[in-house]
């Protein structure tokens, strides 16, 4: 069983989607949840949710390692940030498969599932959630 979830983003950064995904889950007997983001400049990450500085440090790392407007980028048709967004997405991944217990994501005590937006501006990101 698959369904769609649309998440709004307001510029580069992360959105905790753990509760939204859990609210979409219908099958108490499912053992796995597969989440896929259908965009090439957004991705999914599982990381700590106990300290907001953790997420800021992740973004700072990517700012240094995958710079916007690198003069060596050939793909620039959608702006200086576009190629860096594609690279970030490749590095962090577009899908996660997470075990389920009692119809919910079986994440650890300090884990969250995040949509990682790699572009500026407001975007609507489509995710496909499949219960297995």
């Amino acid at each position: 069983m698959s369904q769609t979830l649309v998440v709004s983003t307001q510029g580069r950064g992360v959105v905790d989607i753990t509760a939204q995904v859990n609210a979409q889950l219908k099958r108490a007997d499912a053992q796995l949840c597969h989440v896929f983001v259908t965009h090439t400049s957004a991705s999914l990450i599982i990381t700590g949710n106990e300290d907001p500085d953790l997420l800021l440090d992740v973004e700072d790392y990517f700012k240094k390692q995958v710079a916007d407007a690198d003069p060596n980028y050939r793909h620039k048709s959608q702006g200086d940030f576009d190629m860096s967004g594609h690279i970030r997405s490749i590095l962090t991944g577009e899908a996660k498969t997470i075990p389920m217990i009692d119809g919910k994501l079986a994440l650890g005590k300090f884990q969250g599932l995040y949509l990682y937006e790699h572009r500026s501006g407001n975007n609507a990101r489509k995710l496909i959630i499949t219960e297995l």
Side-chain angles (χ1 to χ4, degrees):
M1 168 191 245
S2 293
Q3 52 194 316
T4 301
L5 172 66
V6 177
V7 177
S8 296
T9 64
Q10 284 76 46
R12 184 174 276 168
V14 296
V15 177
D16 187 343
I17 60 169
T18 309
Q20 289 173 279
V21 171
N22 275 332
Q24 294 286 319
L25 300 175
K26 307 281 189 237
R27 289 187 43 210
D29 65 331
Q31 295 182 9
L32 294 171
C33 174
H34 183 78
V35 184
F36 176 78
V37 60
T38 65
H39 303 275
T40 60
S41 54
S43 59
L44 298 170
I45 61 172
I46 295 174
T47 193
N49 61 9
E50 75 282 5
D51 181 358
D53 285 342
L54 183 151
L55 298 168
L56 295 173
D57 288 342
V58 169
E59 179 58 26
D60 288 346
Y61 171 83
F62 276 105
K63 281 181 185 175
K64 286 184 204 170
Q65 300 303 317
V66 187
D68 292 337
D70 184 317
N72 294 311
Y73 294 156
R74 290 179 283 278
H75 174 70
K76 299 175 187 175
S77 62
Q78 296 179 355
D80 289 341
F81 59 85
D82 192 46
M83 191 61 219
S84 60
H86 292 303
I87 294 169
R88 287 167 168 237
S89 180
I90 291 166
L91 293 173
T92 52
E94 69 288 333
K96 296 290 179 195
T97 301
I98 304 163
M100 292 174 60
I101 297 175
D102 297 327
K104 299 293 178 199
L105 301 175
L107 294 170
K109 181 178 178 182
F110 296 113
Q111 286 182 319
L113 175 62
Y114 295 88
L115 174 65
Y116 195 177
E117 175 63 61
H118 303 298
R119 296 184 72 150
S120 61
N122 298 330
N123 296 288
R125 299 305 193 172
K126 180 176 145 186
L127 292 89
I128 299 171
I129 301 168
T130 305
E131 297 173 70
L132 308 166

